[in-house]
Amino acid sequence: RHAVCIFYLVLRALDTIEDDMSISLDVKVPMLHEFHSYLYQPEWKYMESKEKDRQVLEDFPTISMEFRNLSKVYQEVISDICHKMGVGMAEFLEKKVDSQHEWDKYCHYVAGLVGIGLSRLFSASELEDPIVGQDTELANSMGLFLQKTNIIRDYLEDQLEGREFWPREVWSRYAKKLSDLAKPENIDMAVQCLNELITNALHHVPDVLTYLSRLKNQSVFNFCAIPQVMAIATLAACYNNKHVFRGVVKIRKGQAVTLMMDATNIQAVKAIMYQYVEEIYQKIPSTDPSSNKTQQVIASIRTMSLPGGPMASRHHYSPIYLSCAMLLAALSWQYLSTITKATEEYVQAGEN
């Protein structure tokens, strides 16, 4: 628990530097490259940030002290991932995401590496088998599925903030500029572009199911599974939905709570994935340029998700975990309400 907490705070600090547009590139790039070394410098902190999360930089000596108190095996994982992520973030500060290959690369740096780092921590703790930390391809897919979902859903918010993460190779087939997709007269092409990116993201689902099928520890399983089922539900809500270009598309709070309470074993997660890819399948327009590819990837997910499919369940509901899930759901409901309100106010302010 401590290792995961410190891992999160270290990466939050790194991410805050990347996001801070007030830091000039000639200062920011060396900071990102060297950030992993600050973990071993007791006095290092950064007081010039204008970002909302600047406290993690201003109080970094507290974080780095706790980092150095962790077991060496945890320190090595966190420092290594931090180094790789800083180098990757610096690379993409100075270039846009053009090809789909570069989209995968960017998502690897900012999210796939998180999946890999967490997996190595799970194995180092011996809560999970060594293979979980060793199979970096599956761990990377766990991160990519979440990151691509966020990038797809957040089109409008990113446009309002002047950020672009959709790959040019895809959107350039549908518009001259990425911002043009938000224009009412381009809505049909915009939705086709959206559907193509969602189809791309769905290719990670088989890896996600294989990864989750290997987990033995209930707490680790819940921690990993809940974001993944939230992501598939979000993609189902976004698929073929013009509102992605007009506002915030979100799953209902009650739906989110149900997902949190249900995603406690691999068979339940497979059933959830099956349910939402079927929802997407029912919405595929026959005229959509990606319709064949969408149908194909859904067919492969169906095969893995059917009862008695290629993965056996290792998990069962128990009263104590359902109680924990209900507590988590209640807390998450409050959190989601706060985030939703803040996002709606932001988008409304942008429109005004």
mmCIF file of all heavy atoms in Angstrom, residues 101 129 165 259 351:
data_model
loop_
_atom_site.group_PDB
_atom_site.id
_atom_site.type_symbol
_atom_site.label_atom_id
_atom_site.label_comp_id
_atom_site.label_asym_id
_atom_site.label_seq_id
_atom_site.Cartn_x
_atom_site.Cartn_y
_atom_site.Cartn_z
ATOM 1 N N HIS A 101 1.298 4.665 -34.341
ATOM 2 C CA HIS A 101 2.433 4.108 -33.606
ATOM 3 C C HIS A 101 2.899 5.094 -32.530
ATOM 4 O O HIS A 101 3.197 4.705 -31.395
ATOM 5 C CB HIS A 101 3.583 3.805 -34.566
ATOM 6 C CG HIS A 101 4.857 3.400 -33.881
ATOM 7 N ND1 HIS A 101 5.016 2.170 -33.268
ATOM 8 C CD2 HIS A 101 6.025 4.090 -33.682
ATOM 9 C CE1 HIS A 101 6.236 2.117 -32.729
ATOM 10 N NE2 HIS A 101 6.855 3.262 -32.963
ATOM 11 N N ASP A 129 2.223 -13.540 -8.660
ATOM 12 C CA ASP A 129 3.315 -14.346 -9.212
ATOM 13 C C ASP A 129 4.292 -13.466 -9.992
ATOM 14 O O ASP A 129 3.908 -12.402 -10.506
ATOM 15 C CB ASP A 129 2.752 -15.424 -10.151
ATOM 16 C CG ASP A 129 1.957 -16.483 -9.387
ATOM 17 O OD1 ASP A 129 2.202 -16.641 -8.177
ATOM 18 O OD2 ASP A 129 1.092 -17.136 -10.020
ATOM 19 N N PHE A 165 -4.266 15.320 -28.431
ATOM 20 C CA PHE A 165 -3.705 13.982 -28.244
ATOM 21 C C PHE A 165 -4.236 12.964 -29.249
ATOM 22 O O PHE A 165 -3.755 11.839 -29.308
ATOM 23 C CB PHE A 165 -3.972 13.476 -26.821
ATOM 24 C CG PHE A 165 -3.349 14.322 -25.749
ATOM 25 C CD1 PHE A 165 -4.141 15.056 -24.878
ATOM 26 C CD2 PHE A 165 -1.972 14.401 -25.618
ATOM 27 C CE1 PHE A 165 -3.566 15.843 -23.892
ATOM 28 C CE2 PHE A 165 -1.384 15.185 -24.632
ATOM 29 C CZ PHE A 165 -2.188 15.907 -23.770
ATOM 30 N N LEU A 259 -20.730 -1.085 -11.234
ATOM 31 C CA LEU A 259 -19.511 -1.656 -11.810
ATOM 32 C C LEU A 259 -18.475 -1.932 -10.717
ATOM 33 O O LEU A 259 -17.834 -2.981 -10.702
ATOM 34 C CB LEU A 259 -18.927 -0.711 -12.865
ATOM 35 C CG LEU A 259 -19.705 -0.626 -14.176
ATOM 36 C CD1 LEU A 259 -19.178 0.528 -15.033
ATOM 37 C CD2 LEU A 259 -19.621 -1.936 -14.947
ATOM 38 N N GLU A 351 -17.570 27.520 -22.756
ATOM 39 C CA GLU A 351 -18.584 27.875 -23.756
ATOM 40 C C GLU A 351 -18.936 29.359 -23.678
ATOM 41 O O GLU A 351 -19.135 30.023 -24.677
ATOM 42 C CB GLU A 351 -19.828 27.014 -23.556
ATOM 43 C CG GLU A 351 -19.627 25.562 -23.957
ATOM 44 C CD GLU A 351 -20.795 24.667 -23.556
ATOM 45 O OE1 GLU A 351 -21.659 25.152 -22.803
ATOM 46 O OE2 GLU A 351 -20.818 23.502 -23.997
#
